[in-house]
Amino acid sequence: YNADADAVTDDIYHTNNGSQEQSPSSSPSYLIQPEALVTTFLIASSLGTALEPLILSRLGLRRTILLGAFCNMLGSLVKSGGLPPISFLSLPSLSHGLRGTYALYSGFFFVGFAQPLFQCTPSLLSASWFPEEERTLATSIALNANQLGVGCAFIVGALWVQNPSQVSNYFSLLSVLSVA
């Protein structure tokens, strides 16, 4: 018998006139902790960073970048619940209780794992595509473009999401952009 499981069960259910029932209006969104999402992302990113040289040596540059793009797209689709207009691609999202919570954490894990596959490859990409005198410039442009994208995500996210109910719409926007 696990006391932690009892605590989680007690948190999910509330007492109403002595009987336990799940409230239809209450969502276990309190189980979604921003710090835990960041930690999940960073753990996956660390794992991706550690595995990136192995993945790169086995798959090569092109396939490594494609794997990163696929993981990024998959993570965005999982955490947003899929592309809304395509019903058969619909996955559990933020509005589907505990399954949505797991989907959100899984999505952050996939996106975190994908990041090193992009961030660790610009120097190899510039060495493969550019002559020696242009490699420094090409590498710096690639690295700074990544940081510009991160900055844009902070700005767009802050402008797009004004209250918690808009987070799922923002994740849907990221899904559409990652598929496009």
Side-chain angles (χ1 to χ4, degrees):
Y1 212 88
N2 189 347
D4 291 336
D6 286 340
V8 170
T9 305
D10 290 341
D11 286 344
I12 293 172
Y13 291 89
H14 70 281
T15 303
N16 187 6
N17 295 330
S19 66
Q20 285 187 337
E21 64 181 6
Q22 189 170 10
S23 170
S25 64
S26 71
S27 167
S29 62
Y30 58 85
L31 295 175
I32 300 169
Q33 301 296 324
E35 299 86 6
L37 287 174
V38 170
T39 302
T40 300
F41 178 90
L42 292 175
I43 288 170
S45 183
S46 298
L47 181 64
T49 300
L51 293 176
E52 188 267 343
L54 176 67
I55 293 170
L56 189 59
S57 68
R58 302 264 173 141
L59 298 180
L61 180 61
R62 182 178 187 273
R63 289 185 181 151
T64 298
I65 292 173
L66 287 174
L67 176 64
F70 177 76
C71 287
N72 202 20
M73 179 192 70
L74 181 64
S76 292
L77 288 172
V78 167
K79 70 183 178 182
S80 72
L83 295 174
I86 305 172
S87 61
F88 69 88
L89 284 178
S90 185
L91 302 169
S93 66
L94 291 175
S95 61
H96 290 92
L98 284 176
R99 286 185 8 210
T101 302
Y102 296 134
L104 186 64
Y105 282 96
S106 299
F108 269 80
F109 185 87
F110 282 120
V111 171
F113 184 81
Q115 292 307 305
L117 303 179
F118 298 115
Q119 293 173 340
C120 299
T121 54
S123 58
L124 184 58
L125 181 70
S126 65
S128 300
W129 286 5
F130 295 95
E132 191 171 336
E133 64 273 359
E134 296 176 356
R135 289 181 189 162
T136 303
L137 178 62
T139 303
S140 65
I141 289 172
L143 292 174
N144 287 314
N146 178 57
Q147 297 307 315
L148 181 63
V150 170
C152 287
F154 276 107
I155 293 169
V156 170
L159 293 174
W160 189 282
V161 178
Q162 300 298 318
N163 61 56
S165 67
Q166 296 172 326
V167 171
S168 61
N169 292 336
Y170 177 63
F171 284 166
S172 294
L173 171 67
L174 294 178
S175 293
V176 169
L177 293 175
S178 69
V179 171

